[in-house]
């Protein structure tokens, strides 16, 4: 791993590819609380697209954006509690059942209910409660919304990955350019978002090396169980590897780089590579 990290860092240390948030132009943004509501619902549903090979994150982001442009109340807390699978499909203009559709609907209901109960129906109130701390925001979300509790037990140790809660903080920071709802004094504490794209890109770059049995499982497109040792290792090693990349870039170039920025770069590389082979796990967490 270390040799692979050093090679990649050497190649990019003086010109870290800067990827702008919403480089694809697919997100809703009005510079106000409705953007926060949009991003929270988006990140509540941002998981497991791979079972439908035609579907991607882009469909979810742009579908919710269009729904909100057509009806500003589409993501209000009371409406979130009532959506059905077919209604969500219609909103996203998707012609067939979504991957893990029942779970997506359940999480919409959960988000709507808890927003109404504890935050006056507004995701912006969660952000206003965190004292400009991304770490506190992640903790607050995990405390109130069970669907964001992305943790597991690995060989007797509790492992916290919190991909979707962290990506909400990063989306706010990116969308609002570190100001207003996106201002966090500790954005550097957010790690990468351990999903199925980033590990595959890290493996392609030579940063991660798979065992022959794991490589065979991935190449043959076999499923890896949620919470299994292999799955936790893929995700946790990706987080560790990028933290090491970040440290090495700072050391070699004297520039401070955020894991959030490296994640956006790695993810953008992955989305431009149609032949990328990633692991397949059915999970609501990524």
């Amino acid at each position: 791993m270390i040799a692979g990290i050093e090679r990649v860092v050497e190649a990019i240390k003086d010109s870290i590819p800067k990827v702008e948030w919403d480089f694809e132009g697919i997100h809703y943004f009005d510079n106000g609380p409705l953007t926060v509501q949009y991003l929270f619902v988006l990140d509540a549903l941002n998981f497991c697209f791979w079972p439908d090979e035609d579907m991607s994150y882009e469909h979810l982001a742009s579908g919710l954006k269009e729904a909100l442009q057509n009806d500003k109340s589409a993501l209000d807390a009371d409406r979130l509690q009532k959506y059905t699978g077919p209604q969500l499909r219609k909103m996203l203009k998707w012609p067939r059942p979504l991957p893990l559709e029942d779970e997506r609907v359940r999480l919409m209901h959960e988000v709507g209910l808890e927003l109404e109960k504890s935050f006056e129906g507004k995701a912006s109130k969660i952000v206003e409660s965190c004292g400009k701390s991304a770490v506190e925001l992640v903790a607050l979300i995990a405390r109130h919304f069970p669907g964001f509790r992305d943790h597991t037990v690995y060989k007797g140790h509790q492992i916290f990955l919190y991909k979707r809660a962290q990506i909400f903080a990063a989306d706010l920071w990116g969308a609002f350019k570190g100001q207003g709802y996106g201002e966090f004094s500790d954005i550097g504490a957010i790690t990468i978002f351990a999903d199925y794209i980033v590990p595959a890109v890290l493996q392609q770059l030579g940063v991660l090396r798979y065992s022959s049995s794991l490589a065979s499982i991935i190449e043959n497109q076999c499923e890896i169980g949620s919470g299994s040792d292999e799955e936790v290792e893929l995700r946790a090693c990706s987080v560790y590897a990028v933290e090491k990349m970040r440290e090495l870039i700072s050391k070699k170039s004297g520039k401070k780089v955020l894991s959030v920025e490296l994640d956006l770069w790695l993810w953008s590389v992955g989305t431009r590579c149609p032949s990328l082979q990633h692991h397949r796990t059915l999970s609501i967490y990524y």
Side-chain angles (χ1 to χ4, degrees), residues 70-188:
N70 293 333
D71 176 1
K72 292 284 191 273
S73 69
L75 303 181
D76 282 6
D78 59 333
R79 301 227 355 227
L80 289 173
Q81 295 169 56
K82 300 188 184 93
Y83 279 110
T84 63
Q87 286 172 330
L88 176 57
R89 260 178 260 163
K90 189 178 174 189
M91 185 196 280
L92 301 179
K93 295 192 167 77
W94 202 248
R96 53 187 173 271
L98 300 155
L100 298 182
E101 182 172 278
D102 291 349
E103 287 294 280
R104 286 186 153 91
V105 169
R106 181 181 71 79
L107 291 171
M108 285 178 94
H109 294 176
E110 178 188 282
V111 162
L113 198 62
E114 187 58 24
L115 281 177
E116 192 169 75
K117 182 180 147 202
S118 302
F119 299 100
E120 299 169 38
K122 294 178 170 58
S124 56
K125 295 288 179 190
I126 312 174
V127 183
E128 288 164 13
S129 310
C130 76
K132 300 194 190 308
S133 165
V135 171
E136 180 54 33
L137 179 62
V138 169
L140 202 56
I141 289 167
R143 199 176 310 137
H144 281 273
F145 300 90
F148 282 87
R149 290 175 195 159
D150 178 9
H151 52 79
T152 188
V153 175
Y154 175 78
K155 297 186 176 172
H157 297 279
Q158 190 95 33
I159 308 293
F160 299 88
L161 292 156
Y162 288 154
K163 183 249 178 179
R164 291 194 286 103
Q166 288 198 100
I167 214 169
F168 177 55
D171 278 343
L172 290 166
W173 178 78
F176 290 92
K177 301 199 182 315
Q179 304 295 312
Y181 289 113
E183 185 185 343
F184 299 109
S185 57
D186 55 358
I187 193 67

Side-chain angles (χ1 to χ4, degrees), residues 23-282:
F23 65 95
E24 323 95 322
I26 56 175
H27 297 95
Y28 178 85
F29 185 73
D30 71 349
N31 204 31
L34 199 53
T35 295
V36 182
Q37 192 87 354
Y38 163 80
L39 290 173
F40 193 55
V41 175
L42 172 65
D43 290 328
L45 304 178
N46 178 7
F47 58 86
C48 207
F49 302 102
W50 64 262
D52 188 328
E53 60 183 24
D54 295 324
M55 192 177 208
S56 68
Y57 169 76
E58 188 172 325
H59 295 106
L60 178 66
S62 56
L64 293 177
K65 173 186 179 178
E66 196 177 323
L68 211 45
Q69 285 171 332
N70 293 333
D71 176 1
K72 292 284 191 273
S73 69
L75 303 181
D76 282 6
D78 59 333
R79 301 227 355 227
L80 289 173
Q81 295 169 56
K82 300 188 184 93
Y83 279 110
T84 63
Q87 286 172 330
L88 176 57
R89 260 178 260 163
K90 189 178 174 189
M91 185 196 280
L92 301 179
K93 295 192 167 77
W94 202 248
R96 53 187 173 271
L98 300 155
L100 298 182
E101 182 172 278
D102 291 349
E103 287 294 280
R104 286 186 153 91
V105 169
R106 181 181 71 79
L107 291 171
M108 285 178 94
H109 294 176
E110 178 188 282
V111 162
L113 198 62
E114 187 58 24
L115 281 177
E116 192 169 75
K117 182 180 147 202
S118 302
F119 299 100
E120 299 169 38
K122 294 178 170 58
S124 56
K125 295 288 179 190
I126 312 174
V127 183
E128 288 164 13
S129 310
C130 76
K132 300 194 190 308
S133 165
V135 171
E136 180 54 33
L137 179 62
V138 169
L140 202 56
I141 289 167
R143 199 176 310 137
H144 281 273
F145 300 90
F148 282 87
R149 290 175 195 159
D150 178 9
H151 52 79
T152 188
V153 175
Y154 175 78
K155 297 186 176 172
H157 297 279
Q158 190 95 33
I159 308 293
F160 299 88
L161 292 156
Y162 288 154
K163 183 249 178 179
R164 291 194 286 103
Q166 288 198 100
I167 214 169
F168 177 55
D171 278 343
L172 290 166
W173 178 78
F176 290 92
K177 301 199 182 315
Q179 304 295 312
Y181 289 113
E183 185 185 343
F184 299 109
S185 57
D186 55 358
I187 193 67
I190 296 293
T191 69
I192 62 147
F193 320 118
D195 62 1
Y196 47 88
I197 300 289
V198 172
V201 175
L202 290 171
Q203 191 264 344
Q204 202 171 60
L205 292 171
V207 170
L208 292 185
R209 209 165 57 238
Y210 296 164
S211 68
S212 55
S213 60
L214 179 60
S216 169
I217 288 168
I218 293 172
E219 279 163 26
N220 292 314
Q221 301 187 342
C222 300
E223 259 181 56
I224 293 175
S226 181
S228 64
D229 284 1
E230 293 91 343
E231 189 239 6
V232 179
E233 286 165 6
L234 275 164
R235 299 184 74 204
C237 287
S238 297
V239 173
Y240 178 80
V242 176
E243 287 305 304
K244 288 292 163 198
M245 279 172 70
R246 191 171 65 83
E247 285 169 19
L248 200 55
I249 289 167
S250 288
K251 199 165 139 190
K252 282 180 178 279
S253 70
K255 292 176 195 155
K256 190 182 173 195
V257 61
L258 298 170
S259 295
V260 171
E261 294 170 311
L262 287 174
D263 181 276
L264 195 51
W265 169 61
L266 290 163
W267 189 80
S268 69
V269 169
T271 57
R272 290 196 303 267
C273 182
S275 62
L276 194 71
Q277 290 194 308
H278 60 75
H279 74 281
R280 291 165 178 249
T281 296
L282 284 172

